[in-house]
Amino acid sequence: MDIIDGKAVAQKYKDEIADFVQKRVEAGLRAPSMVTILVGNDGGSIYYMSNQKKLCEKLGVKFRDIVLDENISEDELLEIINKLNQDEETDAIMLLVPLPKHINEKKITSFISYKKDIDGLTDINCGRFYKGEKSFIPCTPKSVLELIKSTGINISGKNTVVLGRSNIVGKPVAQLLLNENATVTICHSKTQNLKEICSKADILVAAIGRPGFVTADYIKEGAIVIDVGTTMIEGKVKGDVNFEEVSKKADYITPVPGGVGSLTTTMLIKNVCEASMGNVY
Ligand code: NAP
C-alpha cells in the first residue's frame, strides 16, 4: 500500500507556478494577481484566506484581501465586485463563502466575471464544465483528480464510485472522472446497498463529512481511495475513511490531513495563473 502524499503533489505544482511567474516577470509582464473577498469573520474562511496569502507571497503571485463588515449591503458588495471585474490589474477574484444571511449568495457569485472566477462558482463556468467545455474547475475536485493521476493509473474504463453528491465536491468529482472515461457511480444518503456498490470500486472517492464511515468492508482489494472528508473532532481533523483498516486493503490511499486538503490552495493559485494567461477564456 502506498500513501498518496498531497504535499509532494502540491510541491510539483508550486515549483511550476513559481517558474511560470518568474518567466512572466522576466518577460516584462506583471505577476499574476488575485483578490480575495471576505465578508464577516467566518473562522474557516479566515484560515483559507491566510493560506492563500502565504502561498501567493511564496510563489510571487500578487495577493490582495478585501475584508468587509458583515453588515455590508448587497449593493455595496456588487459595486466592489463590479470594480474588480473591470480592473485590468486583477486577474482573479475569490469570494469566500458562506456570506452573511442577508446577502443572496447566488446573485453575488453570479456577478463575478466568469473570466476571473477561479473557483468556478459562476453559472457560466459551471454550465461549461458540465458540457465538457473549457472552464475554471473548482480546486477541491481538481485536487482529487490530480491525486488519482499521481498514482500513474489509467483512469479510462475504471469502475469508480463517488460517495457524496454536493455541488462543490461530489458532482464535480464525478464529472471530472467521467471526462477521463471512467465508469462513474454517484452514491448519497438514499443509496441502497452502499457497501456492496463501494466494494466493487477500483477508485473510491469519499466526500460525505462522516468521520471514519468508510471501513475495510467497503473496499475492493487493491483499490485507490481518496478521502475528501474533513470533520473537526476534539481539535483534530478527521477524514471519512477509517485509515487504519482501509490502508491494509487499498493499494493507494490519501491521509487526512496531508491528502486532498494539502493540494487545494495550490490548485487555486494554478487557476490564477491560467486566468492571467487568458488560458481558459
Ligand atoms: P455536503 O454538502 O454536506 O454533502 C455531503 C454529501 O454526502 C451529500 O450528498 C449527502 O447525501 C452525502 N452523505 C451524507 N451522509 C451519507 C451517508 N451516511 N451515506 C451516503 N452518503 C451520505 O458536504 P460537502 O461540502 O460535499 O463536503 C463533504 C466533506 O468534504 C466534508 O467533510 C467537508 O468538510 C469536506 N471538504 C473538504 C475539502 C478539502 O479541501 N479537503 C473541501 C471541501 C469539502 P444527500 O445528498 O443525500 O444528503
Side-chain angles (χ1 to χ4, degrees), residues 60-279:
V61 171
K62 274 168 114 179
F63 178 90
R64 178 157 72 99
D65 56 16
I66 299 183
V67 179
L68 302 165
D69 188 274
E70 63 181 340
N71 296 316
I72 190 169
S73 72
E74 229 174 64
D75 284 348
E76 284 171 303
L77 186 52
L78 286 172
E79 187 44 37
I80 289 166
I81 293 173
N82 184 33
K83 282 197 179 127
L84 292 172
N85 282 345
Q86 289 169 36
D87 178 20
E88 288 183 3
E89 298 290 308
T90 303
D91 295 315
I93 302 169
M94 172 81 200
L95 175 70
L96 294 166
V97 291
L99 294 173
K101 288 203 171 61
H102 68 280
I103 292 178
N104 181 335
E105 199 166 295
K106 186 168 167 26
K107 183 176 168 189
I108 301 287
T109 50
S110 298
F111 195 67
I112 297 171
S113 162
Y114 63 93
K115 296 180 182 178
K116 301 188 179 190
D117 170 30
I118 46 165
D119 211 22
L121 296 171
T122 57
D123 290 348
I124 293 183
N125 274 311
C126 212
R128 289 177 61 110
F129 173 53
Y130 285 103
K131 279 163 76 185
E133 295 170 7
K134 235 178 165 197
S135 66
F136 283 111
I137 297 164
C139 52
T140 299
K142 201 168 168 169
S143 302
V144 169
L145 185 66
E146 289 303 329
L147 292 171
I148 296 170
K149 284 185 172 175
S150 76
T151 65
I153 190 197
N154 179 10
I155 299 172
S156 178
K158 290 289 182 302
N159 192 19
T160 64
V161 173
V162 181
L163 254 176
R165 58 171 165 180
S166 74
N167 285 328
I168 61 159
V169 190
K171 277 184 209 160
V173 164
Q175 182 64 36
L176 284 174
L177 289 167
L178 194 59
N179 292 351
E180 297 290 327
N181 299 316
T183 303
V184 186
T185 306
I186 305 175
C187 299
H188 46 79
S189 66
K190 308 290 185 295
T191 300
Q192 292 177 2
N193 306 324
L194 191 62
K195 208 177 274 187
E196 195 190 328
I197 296 168
C198 292
S199 65
K200 292 195 171 71
D202 301 310
I203 301 170
L204 178 70
V205 179
I208 53 175
R210 301 269 182 270
F213 182 93
V214 178
T215 45
D217 42 354
Y218 280 73
I219 304 297
K220 178 179 172 178
E221 200 79 48
I224 295 177
V225 180
I226 308 291
D227 190 352
V228 188
T230 48
T231 307
M232 291 305 285
I233 298 178
E234 292 167 0
K236 284 193 177 152
V237 62
K238 296 275 177 207
D240 289 338
V241 176
N242 181 324
F243 185 88
E244 209 184 316
E245 280 187 18
V246 171
S247 59
K248 294 192 180 102
K249 218 165 167 188
D251 267 5
Y252 295 92
I253 184 168
T254 58
V256 177
V260 178
S262 302
L263 192 54
T264 46
T265 311
T266 306
M267 286 294 119
L268 186 77
I269 315 265
K270 192 169 184 289
N271 278 353
V272 176
C273 296
E274 279 170 16
S276 75
M277 280 189 289
N279 242 6

